[in-house]
Amino acid sequence: MGSALRERAAGVVATVARRLTAPAAHPAREASAFRAASLSDGAPGIALLHAELAHTDPAHRPLAHEWLRRGAALAAQATAPGPQGLYGPLAALSFAAHRTAEDPRAPSTARARLGGQVAAMAGTRAQREERRLGERLGCTTFTAYDVISGQAGLGAHLLELGVPAEAAVTRLVRALSALARPVRADSRPLPGWWVALDAGAYRPVPPARGHANLGMAHGVPGPLALLALAWRQGVRVPGQRAAITAFADWLLAQRRTDATGPWWPGQLTLDPAPERPGRPSWCYGTPGIARALHLAGLALDVPRWQEAAVGALRAALARAGTEEAEPAAEAGLCHGVAGLLQITWRMAHDSGDTELAEHLPLLATRLLDLVDEDEPFGFTAAPGERPPEEHPGGFLTGAAGAALALHTFATDSAPATHWDRALLLA
């Protein structure tokens, strides 16, 4: 059954890739150039699928380059402001260009220019954070620190660029480590990543009505994962170990427990609200938090963090699809089954935990159950009302990302392009 399931998964990956061979048909009519050049929905994210497949089938290399060129053309038109983090056009192009190259270590003027621009962007963000802390200007922002639009995401890419980005990475790691310092609102000490945004629509509010975010996409697990990955790569600054420890211990202190096991809420506010386990996903929920905690445990060799992470993911997988948690009823990486599959594969292989490994075929089957041949890119449309610019073939919520996770399962090997660095999973 295992072999047949992997073959079925590989077949779906091939189908999705065939349906994503025509960049001229992208983006959707409603999409802005900014969104169509982003990593979440745009051409650079789709290039990642062909770049990954090119490692076993060279015919995909030209397709990866074609999607990358399409992304570059769209980025040149993207004049509207947007969240210029890893998922914005500039860093998205740099991230994808690094992976579409046959040898990313070979000299390239274009890649060097893009990498330099990303490093400059990160340096500006770090400078703002230094000023905020030095002048006590209040709360931080998502664009200062998170994975999608902030420094954790930028750092994920800069870490792999080596010496040219070394100074930017060091400054960025210092800035993220400084989030361990508390801020104050109404004379109360609050976590350093507290944002003056409400926990629902993320509208600006007074600091005391803001929140501390626990999601991997916008919360402290992103900086924790980045600092851990940097530590494992030998990038270490004063205060980094203390920050990793502070973030990990804070997360452990926020654990909730039900009959199935541990879980985490998505946000914390000063006004207690009803809590329940949410969907088991990458962006918000226990799986993404567990992976960040596991990376921290591997970086500093803290077995109790690793064990807590594995136990929490086991519980999330046991809870998935029951009445206790909202099921992951869509395919994508962000809040769907694909993200859960990729996290579980990474943690099962890093930990050697057989219980996690036993869930892999079950998760792959759930993802394959969402295949719909009548849909343009091979997967059933995500439920609920979707943003008009969200491309169903894209990386973060669409078919390209789902296919990449299925490819990991089908080959039972770590991604050759390390594409899941964009999710700070490895």
Side-chain angles (χ1 to χ4, degrees), residues 30-59:
E30 301 86 353
S32 67
F34 187 96
R35 189 72 176 255
S38 72
L39 189 60
S40 53
D41 299 290
I46 297 170
L48 295 180
L49 173 61
H50 291 291
E52 181 66 27
L53 297 179
H55 282 265
T56 52
D57 182 355

Side-chain angles (χ1 to χ4, degrees), residues 278-419:
R279 76 172 78 202
S281 61
W282 170 77
C283 56
Y284 282 94
T286 295
I289 297 169
R291 181 52 175 167
L293 191 59
H294 197 250
L295 287 170
L298 292 172
L300 298 191
D301 191 21
V302 182
R304 69 181 178 90
W305 296 350
Q306 297 175 48
E307 291 160 8
V310 168
L313 183 56
R314 284 178 182 168
L317 292 167
R319 196 182 292 111
T322 70
E323 294 181 357
E324 298 174 68
E326 180 185 353
E330 59 185 278
L333 289 169
C334 188
H335 29 255
V337 182
L340 186 56
L341 175 60
Q342 191 70 18
I343 289 169
T344 304
W345 189 91
R346 281 289 188 184
M347 284 188 56
H349 280 255
D350 283 353
S351 67
D353 187 81
T354 56
E355 186 175 330
L356 293 183
E358 287 168 1
H359 278 279
L360 292 172
L362 304 175
L363 290 170
T365 299
R366 284 179 59 196
L367 185 50
L368 290 167
D369 286 344
L370 295 172
V371 170
D372 185 343
E373 291 289 337
D374 293 329
E375 290 291 329
F377 302 104
F379 281 96
T380 187
E385 187 176 346
R386 314 303 297 188
E389 292 191 330
E390 187 173 278
H391 194 282
F395 171 74
L396 195 58
T397 60
L404 282 164
L406 274 180
H407 184 68
T408 299
F409 172 78
T411 60
D412 195 29
S413 58
T417 58
H418 217 173
W419 61 263

Side-chain angles (χ1 to χ4, degrees), residues 216-295:
M216 180 65 127
H218 298 299
V220 72
L224 175 60
L226 188 282
L227 294 180
L229 290 170
W231 188 275
R232 296 184 79 186
Q233 287 185 214
V235 178
R236 301 174 184 183
V237 304
Q240 183 179 352
R241 176 188 281 273
I244 293 172
T245 302
F247 297 158
D249 285 345
W250 187 88
L251 284 169
L252 289 173
Q254 309 313 315
R255 277 181 301 183
R256 312 313 193 229
T257 304
D258 61 15
T260 307
W263 59 275
W264 282 273
Q267 301 105 349
L268 290 181
T269 67
L270 295 180
D271 298 319
E275 296 176 337
R276 62 187 291 272
R279 76 172 78 202
S281 61
W282 170 77
C283 56
Y284 282 94
T286 295
I289 297 169
R291 181 52 175 167
L293 191 59
H294 197 250
L295 287 170

